[in-house]
Amino acid sequence: MITVNNMSLQFAGRTLFKDVNLKFTPGNCYGVIGANGAGKSTFLKILSGELDSTTGEVAIPKNLRISVLKQDHYQYDDCQVLETVIRGNARLYEIMQEKDALYAKEDFTDEDGEKAAALEGEFAEMNGWEADSEAAQLLQGLGIGTELHYALMRDLQGGEKVKVLLAQALFGQPGILLLDEPTNHLDIDSIEWLEEFLFNFPGTVIVVSHDRHFLNTVCTHTVDIDFGQIRMFVGNYDFWYESSQMMQSLMKAQNKKREDQVKELQNFIQRFSANKSKAKQATSRRKLLDKLTLEEMPISSRKYPFVRFTPDREVGNEILTVEGLTKTVDGVKVLDNVSFRVNKDDKIAFIGENEIAQTTLFKILVGELEPDAGSFKWGVTTSQSYFPKDNTEFFEDCDLNLIDWLRQFSEDQTESYLRGFLGRMLFAGEDSLKPAKVLSGGEKVRCMLSRMMLAGSNVLLLDQPTNHLDLESITAVNDGLIEFKGNVLFTSHDHQFIQTIANRVIEITETGIIDRLGTYDEFLEFKKNNK
């Protein structure tokens, strides 16, 4: 159990949260949510002991081991993969090192023998003899094959390193798991494996994530950081969201009722205060009015950008025909004779283990790459807008402020229009004058989405558009693509994003594609039944 008593944190001159009193108990999974900058990752650091709170305390039983998902992907570059996982249990790894050092001594003494015996006993109690097999099982569950188990971490790709560090956090049956964005860079199969692991985990799990489906699947409780407070609610993310929306509606209705009552009183006073026969009544009403104060609506830190894609013209019946596209990247064939046809109203999710294949396909379709073989043809009524996974070229070394940056892509060049548009995308006031090159990852994504909205295209190609976004922005993009009246071709790791947008799924495999009409869940069911 973790007990948080009267905790507060002041950071960079402002109070992130105060008077926090919470209990986290074994067998439960707590999803921590809040706007970007609300303090989600900071809260996890306080729980882990990495950061001290300004006031209050975090109480954790001494015999309970905390395991934290590491964020430094280069920390273990000189270690083998299997060793990196076992390092997740620091005491077990220390015992293994001490044992090896003792047995390597040439002058092995009786005292060394006694120490070795004690270490062997502790090693056995910690299931040390099962360490290699447990680490291997975790790695394989996350898609890291045995051929990589003895490779050096530095030789792994970024996504593979993330999986190894996740395996490290899960290793050795910790009592408490603190996971900050554990599904980042994970493929669909790995996410499903992790969901199953956490569902059966007997300890306490506290997780920060922007993946709504993941939060809904694994979480028993929602921990909301907002209004400078941290509050806990029973239920997963969807239950919290629907409840909070309902409460907001009720509060608005109550305030509207009070506003109507105030206006009625004011009108009465205005009409009858000069009337002697009504003067006494007017005075009593005025006293009642003085006592009646409207409760201020809470100003939430959550802000939803306005994301709407409006095509300038309706698309015709001929959208896109792809014939036999083949492409090799860095000596690896990522597209092999890929053929498909996009029909009117198609919203297609492209998935697959090799993300390079999806990105390569999109780059070919927008003319940034040439295929080695094959062809494609866009319909004459189509116009395309592309959201690249890597947007560096749009912002690197760019000295323009956001107004001038957006002006490059807008027919309406007036500052008032551009400021209004940026305001809807959460760049209000002075924020619109920030240099484009200093934007955060999420801010850059919102700018790229603005660029697409201004284009008025009837076909959208989006490569991982939810990366770097908070839950509120993801929801806004999600809703915008659902309402869009044209065609959408997109990639994503977000289960709910795919499920709610796509009416067709194409998986790119090593030997071609699997193309199915229907929702994402129906596609996964098809795959499961045809293994």
Side-chain angles (χ1 to χ4, degrees), residues 1-5 20-24 47 57-61:
M1 178 187 293
I2 302 179
T3 305
V4 180
N5 296 313
V20 179
N21 294 279
L22 300 170
K23 280 187 180 180
F24 300 92
L47 295 181
E57 63 175 3
V58 176
I60 300 173

Side-chain angles (χ1 to χ4, degrees), residues 85-154:
V85 176
I86 294 173
R87 279 173 174 260
N89 188 333
R91 178 54 187 159
L92 178 62
Y93 183 74
E94 183 183 351
I95 291 171
M96 294 169 70
Q97 296 298 104
E98 288 184 30
K99 280 174 51 186
D100 290 345
L102 280 174
Y103 293 140
K105 291 179 68 173
E106 294 183 2
D107 54 341
F108 192 82
T109 64
D110 290 343
E111 185 180 346
D112 291 332
E114 292 176 5
K115 187 175 181 180
L119 289 172
E120 291 289 3
E122 190 176 355
F123 182 74
E125 285 179 6
M126 299 178 75
N127 293 323
W129 297 112
E130 308 296 327
D132 282 1
S133 61
E134 182 190 345
Q137 286 176 359
L138 289 170
L139 288 168
Q140 288 176 323
L142 288 167
I144 302 295
T146 53
E147 71 279 2
L148 292 176
H149 290 189
Y150 294 95
L152 290 177
M153 286 288 285
R154 67 159 61 95

Side-chain angles (χ1 to χ4, degrees), residues 116-320:
L119 289 172
E120 291 289 3
E122 190 176 355
F123 182 74
E125 285 179 6
M126 299 178 75
N127 293 323
W129 297 112
E130 308 296 327
D132 282 1
S133 61
E134 182 190 345
Q137 286 176 359
L138 289 170
L139 288 168
Q140 288 176 323
L142 288 167
I144 302 295
T146 53
E147 71 279 2
L148 292 176
H149 290 189
Y150 294 95
L152 290 177
M153 286 288 285
R154 67 159 61 95
D155 296 328
L156 269 58
Q157 296 179 5
E160 292 170 335
K161 284 185 178 181
V162 170
K163 291 180 178 182
V164 175
L165 293 178
L166 181 55
Q168 180 192 73
L170 304 180
F171 174 78
Q173 301 173 354
I176 300 168
L177 266 175
L178 302 180
L179 305 175
D180 194 350
E181 297 292 355
T183 61
N184 278 1
H185 305 290
L186 293 190
D187 54 72
I188 301 299
D189 290 340
S190 298
I191 291 174
E192 286 188 352
W193 180 90
L194 177 61
E195 289 171 349
E196 184 71 20
F197 182 95
L198 295 180
F199 188 79
N200 295 308
F201 183 73
T204 304
V205 182
I206 305 175
V207 57
V208 171
S209 178
H210 289 145
D211 187 327
R212 296 162 295 170
H213 182 271
F214 178 75
L215 290 173
N216 285 328
T217 302
V218 302
C219 291
T220 58
H221 295 71
T222 298
V223 178
D224 180 31
I225 304 181
D226 204 359
F227 316 117
Q229 298 178 317
I230 304 181
R231 294 176 292 178
M232 185 184 295
F233 303 89
V234 175
N236 62 15
Y237 176 76
D238 273 354
F239 184 83
W240 169 86
Y241 179 76
E242 291 172 15
S243 300
S244 66
Q245 293 297 106
M246 188 180 300
M247 285 301 298
Q248 289 280 10
S249 297
L250 287 173
M251 291 176 72
K252 285 179 182 177
Q254 287 176 356
N255 275 359
K256 181 65 169 64
K257 198 175 289 185
R258 289 197 172 204
E259 286 173 359
D260 292 342
Q261 190 177 2
V262 168
K263 286 179 181 177
E264 182 184 343
L265 290 170
Q266 288 173 333
N267 290 334
F268 181 89
I269 292 167
Q270 189 175 4
R271 287 200 321 268
F272 297 107
S273 58
N275 186 326
K276 290 183 180 179
S277 65
K278 299 280 187 178
K280 187 175 180 180
Q281 195 176 2
T283 301
S284 65
R285 294 272 179 125
R286 187 183 286 111
K287 289 179 180 178
L288 180 60
L289 180 65
D290 290 339
K291 291 178 181 179
L292 185 66
T293 58
L294 291 177
E295 288 183 9
E296 290 186 9
M297 286 292 293
I299 301 173
S300 173
S301 59
R302 286 168 169 76
K303 296 178 181 178
Y304 292 81
F306 178 82
V307 179
R308 291 293 182 272
F309 302 98
T310 305
D312 291 338
R313 63 179 294 186
E314 186 179 351
V315 73
N317 292 323
E318 296 294 325
I319 313 295
L320 172 66

Side-chain angles (χ1 to χ4, degrees), residues 415-426:
E415 184 166 326
S416 59
Y417 172 78
L418 296 169
R419 277 187 177 274
F421 197 93
L422 286 167
R424 293 197 297 273
M425 293 302 286
L426 309 184

